[in-house]
Amino acid sequence: QAAMIQKLGTQGSALAPEAMARALENHLRQVKAALALRPEMSICWMEYPRLIHEPAAAAVNLQSFLGIPLDLAAMSAQVDPTLYRQRHPSDGQPDLGKPL
C-alpha cells in the first residue's frame, strides 16, 4: 500500500507500517471472533497468495464450500498473477487467510 500511495502522490496513514500491520491483525482477530459467534454463517477462508499462485485449487475449494457445480477452468483463468505485486514473504503483512 505504501508503494501505491507514493505512486499516487497521496497522503498515507500516520501509523508506521508495523503498527498498521498490528492494527489490521487485531481487527481481523475481532472480526473472526465475532463470526465465531454466528453459527448460521459459513466462512470459506482462503489465503490470498495461494489463490494467486494456485487458482485451480482455490476454485475447487470454493466449489466444495458452495456445494454447487462451477466452471473451474473459467474461474481459474480470471486470476492474473501479474497484478499481485509488491509482495514479499517478509513484508510484515498479516496473513488474512489463516484463522487466528
Side-chain angles (χ1 to χ4, degrees):
Q1 188 170 13
M4 179 184 67
I5 290 169
Q6 184 178 14
K7 181 179 178 182
L8 295 174
T10 59
Q11 181 78 18
S13 171
L15 288 177
E18 299 80 17
M20 182 66 79
R22 281 193 306 276
L24 181 57
E25 287 173 351
N26 288 336
H27 178 68
L28 184 59
R29 193 173 288 110
Q30 291 171 349
V31 168
K32 287 182 176 186
L35 289 172
L37 299 174
R38 304 286 306 264
E40 74 279 10
M41 295 179 67
S42 297
I43 309 296
C44 180
W45 296 106
M46 292 192 186
E47 295 179 31
Y48 186 71
R50 182 167 182 237
L51 185 141
I52 294 298
H53 298 292
E54 301 175 40
V60 169
N61 187 21
L62 184 59
Q63 178 175 256
S64 175
F65 174 77
L66 295 174
I68 59 173
L70 300 171
D71 187 340
L72 301 178
M75 291 173 61
S76 299
Q78 297 305 308
V79 178
D80 183 356
T82 64
L83 297 176
Y84 187 62
R85 53 194 182 274
Q86 300 292 328
R87 303 294 190 271
H88 305 283
S90 61
D91 67 0
Q93 300 302 312
D95 185 342
L96 301 181
K98 293 183 182 175
L100 299 176

